[in-house]
Amino acid sequence: MSRQRGKTEKTSDMMNPQLMAGKFLRCLFRKPGKTPSEIQVEITNRCNFNCPMCQRKELGVKDEDMPFDLFEEILLKLDNPRRLILTGWGEPLIHPDFCRMVQAVNKVYPEAGVCFTTNGFLLEGELADCLLKTRLEQVSISLDRLPGDEKVSTPGHIPAKKITDNLEAFLEKRGRDNLPRIRLQATIQPGSGDTLGEILEYAAKTGIDGVNLVRLQLPFSPGLVRPSQDEEKELLEYAGRLGKKLGVQVDSVRGLGPLLLLATGFDTFCIRLDDYAYITVDGGLAPCCNLRNHTAGSLRDSDLESLYSAPAIRDLWRSLGNPVCRQCDSFRYNYAGD
């Protein structure tokens, strides 16, 4: 039996007026949805990389997979999600049942967008072919610099040539509808203007659909070095101009616009949690990946609406009542504390 909601979004949410209007109203009136339409599922916390900026160890995340039967059970307890993100604190393609999971989502929720973020190292062979036969909305490849780029020493993902080879082969095999969308995800590093320029030029040359620029997060890794707020602004403005020139969509937290900034009370609460939830590897419902231990309960024992309306979720969103939230600026316009 299939369950349906809205049609799959094939462009960035920030380019969708209807989605942005809904988010603006929910944030303005501090009233989240009855159930989240965007759900991230922590299908595995095992990884084949050990990136310096990853917070898995600091969070005490155990290396384990979500069993496929639990994944199927959870699917049936959701409320026709608009989007499912199959990414936790590990590499999703390492899960032995990953393609089966995508197929299961396609069967139960045929109109839901399915997304995941990968380091790209395993995006090859039979697994890549299997995924291209499913209905995927978007694949994000973490790539902080191109292979051979040594201009900036970064704590980012390993820039192996195998990753770009896999990516280019995957792009060539996409169907005529150019789905799934492929985007690169890069962290914003000090002095990285030239590196970002090369990433954008590579995206334009290979037909990649967009580049998402994200911040390094300090709550659990205070030793990481970020650009100053002014330098970040300059880097993002430069990337935006170059992306426009090259025809590559560039997304970042600073692209949310003045209306959403106003609706969040100028960064006084998280802009993401109005319509979003995170499901841990054992079925717990949490506000986000950084608060995976702050669950409202388990979907094994309760329904989605009850857990999503619990104070552990709602009160946290409205007040930034957790120290981790107050230090996190993944979805704030300005740095936390500025």
Side-chain angles (χ1 to χ4, degrees), residues 74 151 156 338:
I74 287 171
K151 289 187 293 299
D338 284 4

mmCIF file with all atom_site columns, all heavy atoms in Angstrom, residues 74 151 156 338:
data_model
loop_
_atom_site.group_PDB
_atom_site.id
_atom_site.type_symbol
_atom_site.label_atom_id
_atom_site.label_alt_id
_atom_site.label_comp_id
_atom_site.label_asym_id
_atom_site.label_entity_id
_atom_site.label_seq_id
_atom_site.pdbx_PDB_ins_code
_atom_site.Cartn_x
_atom_site.Cartn_y
_atom_site.Cartn_z
_atom_site.occupancy
_atom_site.B_iso_or_equiv
_atom_site.pdbx_formal_charge
_atom_site.auth_seq_id
_atom_site.auth_comp_id
_atom_site.auth_asym_id
_atom_site.auth_atom_id
_atom_site.pdbx_PDB_model_num
ATOM 1  N N   . ILE A 1 74  ? 9.295  1.737  10.963 1.00 0.00 ? 74  ILE A N   1
ATOM 2  C CA  . ILE A 1 74  ? 9.261  3.195  11.121 1.00 0.00 ? 74  ILE A CA  1
ATOM 3  C C   . ILE A 1 74  ? 8.545  3.853  9.946  1.00 0.00 ? 74  ILE A C   1
ATOM 4  O O   . ILE A 1 74  ? 7.745  4.782  10.127 1.00 0.00 ? 74  ILE A O   1
ATOM 5  C CB  . ILE A 1 74  ? 10.691 3.738  11.283 1.00 0.00 ? 74  ILE A CB  1
ATOM 6  C CG1 . ILE A 1 74  ? 11.225 3.389  12.664 1.00 0.00 ? 74  ILE A CG1 1
ATOM 7  C CG2 . ILE A 1 74  ? 10.734 5.248  11.053 1.00 0.00 ? 74  ILE A CG2 1
ATOM 8  C CD1 . ILE A 1 74  ? 12.691 3.698  12.852 1.00 0.00 ? 74  ILE A CD1 1
ATOM 9  N N   . LYS A 1 151 ? 46.140 24.175 -1.819 1.00 0.00 ? 151 LYS A N   1
ATOM 10 C CA  . LYS A 1 151 ? 46.287 25.598 -1.485 1.00 0.00 ? 151 LYS A CA  1
ATOM 11 C C   . LYS A 1 151 ? 45.864 25.885 -0.053 1.00 0.00 ? 151 LYS A C   1
ATOM 12 O O   . LYS A 1 151 ? 46.402 26.756 0.612  1.00 0.00 ? 151 LYS A O   1
ATOM 13 C CB  . LYS A 1 151 ? 45.472 26.453 -2.464 1.00 0.00 ? 151 LYS A CB  1
ATOM 14 C CG  . LYS A 1 151 ? 46.043 26.497 -3.862 1.00 0.00 ? 151 LYS A CG  1
ATOM 15 C CD  . LYS A 1 151 ? 45.299 27.480 -4.725 1.00 0.00 ? 151 LYS A CD  1
ATOM 16 C CE  . LYS A 1 151 ? 43.882 27.023 -4.995 1.00 0.00 ? 151 LYS A CE  1
ATOM 17 N NZ  . LYS A 1 151 ? 43.823 25.746 -5.706 1.00 0.00 ? 151 LYS A NZ  1
ATOM 18 N N   . GLY A 1 156 ? 38.592 19.000 6.317  1.00 0.00 ? 156 GLY A N   1
ATOM 19 C CA  . GLY A 1 156 ? 37.405 18.491 5.635  1.00 0.00 ? 156 GLY A CA  1
ATOM 20 C C   . GLY A 1 156 ? 37.561 17.076 5.123  1.00 0.00 ? 156 GLY A C   1
ATOM 21 O O   . GLY A 1 156 ? 38.446 16.327 5.519  1.00 0.00 ? 156 GLY A O   1
ATOM 22 N N   . ASP A 1 338 ? 27.265 36.084 18.317 1.00 0.00 ? 338 ASP A N   1
ATOM 23 C CA  . ASP A 1 338 ? 27.505 37.396 17.692 1.00 0.00 ? 338 ASP A CA  1
ATOM 24 C C   . ASP A 1 338 ? 26.235 38.248 17.713 1.00 0.00 ? 338 ASP A C   1
ATOM 25 O O   . ASP A 1 338 ? 25.141 37.741 17.760 1.00 0.00 ? 338 ASP A O   1
ATOM 26 C CB  . ASP A 1 338 ? 27.979 37.203 16.249 1.00 0.00 ? 338 ASP A CB  1
ATOM 27 C CG  . ASP A 1 338 ? 29.426 36.754 16.183 1.00 0.00 ? 338 ASP A CG  1
ATOM 28 O OD1 . ASP A 1 338 ? 30.003 36.530 17.254 1.00 0.00 ? 338 ASP A OD1 1
ATOM 29 O OD2 . ASP A 1 338 ? 29.945 36.618 15.069 1.00 0.00 ? 338 ASP A OD2 1
#
